[in-house]
Amino acid sequence: MAICSFPKTSSLIGKASTSCLRRFTIHFRRPDTLKQKQNAPYKGEYGFDWLRDEYIYPIEKIKYDNHLTNARKKIKNKILPLCLKPKKLKEEYKKDVENPIKPYEQDYYPAWLSIFACDVQGNNADAGSELHKDGVYLDLQLDEIDEIINDGTEIFFKTSDPCLKITPNKIAISEFLNTSKEKRKLNEKIGKPEIHFYKLENAVKIICQGDTLKEHGQIKVFAKLGSTEIEVGQLMVYQNDIIGKANIFVVNVITKYDNNNNKIIPQSHPSLDNLFNSQSFNQAMIKVEIKAIEDFDLFALKEKEEDVKKFLDDINNSIFVDENSRTQPSVVRNNLCDLYNHYGKHKPKDNISINDEGHYNTYLLFTNKVIEWKNKDTVKGIAYYSGTPKRDFEWGNMFVIFGNALTEDHTIVHEAGHSFSLPHSFEWSLSPHIFYHGYTENYMDYSQHQYLDSKRKPRLERNKYSGNMYSFFKWQWDLMRKDKSIEILQKE
């Protein structure tokens, strides 16, 4: 079982410290709704990642976990940290932090924000974007160590770069006191320790304007009373002068015609450009270009190509099944991959396979085929991979979305994330950090987890974030940018 290290305090809440300046820490947090978008819910418009309490402390109940990929014994109704190795995860959130702080001997893990620069001129203008030209608003959370009072204390901000701007530049402590004090428990098993805190919603607006960040930026938070100043918080801002580029070819796989001899084209997502560039991969400073939309007409090819005819006969007659009467999505994927390598209009040049190195293309294949399993569950999508975990495993450059998920945001980005080198967040053999299956809002998690019914049989229930799973971790931003299909655009 994980051993949790809780925040330490040297004086009780309600008992003033010997310093004139009351002790507290400030944390940047992502609002549930976005002020810059008329209070619409967050849907991945910018990257924001932080070390959440439930990742490292026993707060959430794991109702049942017997997922094969986490190589653990069965977990039944236990209150645990959501991350299986909290200590390792804490170290992850210290990476790339310049001049880390430990205010009042409190462990401090700054949140990460990723936004594009706007109004960029000169030879790096291509790194800019209008996506965040109105800035982003963030909440401020004040965690008490001493009980704070209206004593004239202010917090103010210092940014690492002139292009990184925050407004207002200072906030009186009285503004926090005008909100309700809340409390949270860091160990739901024993009901303590408790952290008393205030949250100031949409407290600050942050924008990167006029230039780009040549390295990770930083916003420091200081508490000031009289001549006393102490650094009590930080926000890290992701480097945005070197942009990644992904080229996606959309392939509509045609396997049938209707009675009027018209192609039956898969009803694909209505706005892939917005999904990829404003709700997902923008978080990793990656710009996606839809290079082409192709109708891959296997039905027309079957009259002259025997391998195409055999594939269509097999898929329509449910030949691709295993001994448990389950259709094998990997076999369907591999056949489509081979057929596209032979007959695809936009396959890589020089006889390079779509899953080989030597090009920057990613192929998204939509098919009306629905993959049904024996228990009536369905497979929504699958990405290409090869090799064995922890040995020679490698993600490919293509993924397939099946007929029951053609317009699903989460499924499409989830499978694209695999193609860009991201494993499942719960995958023991591949993921740098392992989380319990189906409890986070991360794109690479699942929207369901297991529980035990009244007869102690495993059933599925919805992840509480289901329908609102639009975020990536900062370490996933880093992984995607290293993927072989992502072209990193260096400025001249």
Side-chain angles (χ1 to χ4, degrees):
M1 181 180 294
I3 298 175
C4 297
S5 176
F6 297 107
K8 300 178 178 66
T9 61
S10 57
S11 64
L12 299 175
I13 297 295
K15 181 179 179 182
S17 67
T18 55
S19 170
C20 293
L21 181 61
R22 302 289 176 120
R23 297 175 304 168
F24 57 86
T25 55
I26 296 291
H27 306 266
F28 292 83
R29 293 293 180 256
R30 192 193 74 205
D32 293 329
T33 58
L34 306 185
K35 183 177 180 180
Q36 67 270 22
K37 296 196 72 175
Q38 293 75 50
N39 295 320
Y42 173 81
K43 286 191 172 184
E45 289 84 353
Y46 54 88
F48 194 87
D49 184 31
W50 72 102
L51 184 61
R52 306 187 193 199
D53 290 342
E54 62 267 28
Y55 294 169
I56 58 174
Y57 299 127
I59 293 173
E60 295 280 347
K61 179 183 285 188
I62 308 303
K63 296 183 178 181
Y64 183 77
D65 191 273
N66 190 30
H67 200 275
L68 295 177
T69 57
N70 70 17
R72 299 275 291 184
K73 296 180 180 179
K74 294 179 183 178
I75 302 296
K76 299 178 183 178
N77 292 320
K78 290 187 177 181
I79 297 175
L80 297 168
L82 292 184
C83 182
L84 274 66
K85 295 184 178 181
K87 185 177 179 180
K88 182 183 176 185
L89 187 65
K90 288 181 182 180
E91 291 303 312
E92 180 68 54
Y93 282 84
K94 291 180 179 179
K95 289 182 181 178
D96 298 325
V97 178
E98 188 173 349
N99 301 316
I101 62 172
K102 197 170 184 180
Y104 309 112
E105 297 306 307
Q106 301 281 314
D107 288 334
Y108 189 93
Y109 304 91
W112 280 84
L113 171 69
S114 66
I115 53 175
F116 285 99
C118 64
D119 302 331
V120 180
Q121 306 295 323
N123 64 355
N124 204 28
D126 288 346
S129 169
E130 295 295 291
L131 183 60
H132 303 122
K133 63 182 178 62
D134 296 324
V136 299
Y137 288 85
L138 298 179
D139 295 345
L140 290 180
Q141 178 180 294
L142 183 154
D143 285 0
E144 285 187 333
I145 303 174
D146 298 328
E147 184 176 28
I148 64 169
I149 59 174
N150 190 5
D151 58 1
T153 296
E154 291 182 331
I155 62 169
F156 67 94
F157 309 97
K158 291 183 179 179
T159 64
S160 58
D161 298 77
C163 62
L164 188 58
K165 302 169 185 179
I166 181 170
T167 52
N169 60 9
K170 63 181 179 179
I171 298 174
I173 208 74
S174 58
E175 292 194 36
F176 289 92
L177 291 168
N178 287 334
T179 68
S180 298
K181 183 188 289 192
E182 303 176 64
K183 63 181 178 181
R184 64 187 192 274
K185 299 172 184 176
L186 298 186
N187 188 334
E188 286 292 342
K189 292 180 180 179
I190 60 176
K192 58 181 182 181
E194 288 185 344
I195 302 294
H196 294 252
F197 68 98
Y198 295 87
K199 182 178 285 186
L200 203 56
E201 295 182 353
N202 295 303
V204 292
K205 184 177 80 169
I206 297 170
I207 190 170
C208 186
Q209 188 175 39
D211 201 356
T212 53
L213 296 172
K214 310 303 185 292
E215 56 188 24
H216 297 318
Q218 194 173 55
I219 298 176
K220 297 184 176 184
V221 188
F222 293 85
K224 178 178 174 62
L225 180 62
S227 60
T228 303
E229 292 182 7
I230 294 178
E231 189 173 356
V232 294
Q234 292 179 342
L235 174 71
M236 296 300 300
V237 185
Y238 205 77
Q239 179 181 356
N240 60 15
D241 73 320
I242 300 176
I243 303 302
K245 183 184 178 185
N247 299 316
I248 292 186
F249 291 83
V250 177
V251 180
N252 293 317
V253 180
I254 311 299
T255 57
K256 290 183 179 181
Y257 281 21
D258 64 19
N259 293 332
N260 295 318
N261 205 34
N262 296 316
K263 300 176 185 177
I264 300 178
I265 300 174
Q267 183 186 359
S268 58
H269 194 282
S271 182
L272 288 172
D273 181 78
N274 183 68
L275 178 63
F276 291 146
N277 287 306
S278 301
Q279 294 183 276
S280 56
F281 302 115
N282 50 289
Q283 297 175 38
M285 295 289 109
I286 293 171
K287 294 182 179 181
V288 176
E289 182 179 352
I290 306 297
K291 299 293 288 186
I293 299 176
E294 171 187 352
D295 286 348
F296 187 39
D297 195 342
L298 296 180
F299 193 84
L301 281 171
K302 73 183 179 68
E303 299 302 327
K304 56 182 178 180
E305 304 295 348
E306 185 60 33
D307 54 350
V308 176
K309 182 179 184 302
K310 183 178 185 308
F311 172 74
L312 291 181
D313 289 343
D314 290 347
I315 200 172
N316 290 326
N317 294 308
S318 299
I319 297 298
F320 301 132
V321 295
D322 62 15
E323 65 276 9
N324 296 314
S325 299
R326 299 180 302 188
T327 305
Q328 299 180 76
S330 60
V331 177
V332 177
R333 175 205 61 200
N334 293 348
N335 274 266
L336 285 174
C337 180
D338 290 342
L339 292 173
Y340 194 83
N341 274 322
H342 279 97
Y343 309 113
K345 189 181 301 182
H346 297 97
K347 61 187 179 183
K349 298 178 180 179
D350 302 323
N351 294 318
I352 298 175
S353 168
I354 62 176
N355 289 305
D356 287 343
E357 295 185 5
H359 65 92
Y360 292 111
N361 299 343
T362 298
Y363 296 86
L364 162 52
L365 278 66
F366 288 107
T367 173
N368 282 320
K369 175 66 178 177
V370 175
I371 305 294
E372 293 185 355
W373 287 36
K374 189 175 181 180
N375 62 359
K376 303 300 182 182
D377 196 8
T378 57
V379 178
K380 295 182 176 182
I382 187 169
Y384 188 89
Y385 59 87
S386 61
T388 304
K390 294 190 175 181
R391 292 179 60 187
D392 56 349
F393 186 92
E394 186 176 33
W395 293 104
N397 299 321
M398 65 90 74
F399 59 103
V400 181
I401 303 298
F402 295 111
N404 56 321
L406 297 175
T407 61
E408 287 190 6
D409 291 359
H410 181 263
T411 298
I412 294 169
V413 175
H414 178 100
E415 298 303 334
H418 284 322
S419 185
F420 295 154
S421 292
L422 297 187
H424 292 124
S425 58
F426 48 80
E427 201 146 16
W428 181 274
S429 57
L430 293 175
S431 182
H433 303 284
I434 317 302
F435 293 79
Y436 285 104
H437 179 282
Y439 287 89
T440 75
E441 65 163 23
N442 192 266
Y443 266 120
M444 303 314 296
D445 200 357
Y446 276 4
S447 59
Q448 295 175 316
H449 56 243
Q450 291 182 314
Y451 74 101
L452 296 177
D453 67 12
S454 58
K455 296 181 180 179
R456 308 294 291 172
K457 291 185 178 181
R459 304 292 186 197
L460 289 175
E461 69 178 9
R462 288 165 66 90
N463 181 335
K464 68 180 181 181
Y465 297 109
S466 180
N468 293 289
M469 300 171 70
Y470 287 97
S471 68
F472 288 112
F473 300 125
K474 183 264 179 184
W475 53 267
Q476 291 173 323
W477 307 344
D478 296 338
L479 278 176
M480 286 189 283
R481 291 173 60 83
K482 295 176 183 177
D483 181 76
K484 65 182 180 182
S485 68
I486 302 298
E487 182 180 6
I488 299 299
L489 302 177
Q490 299 275 3
K491 67 177 183 179
E492 296 180 359

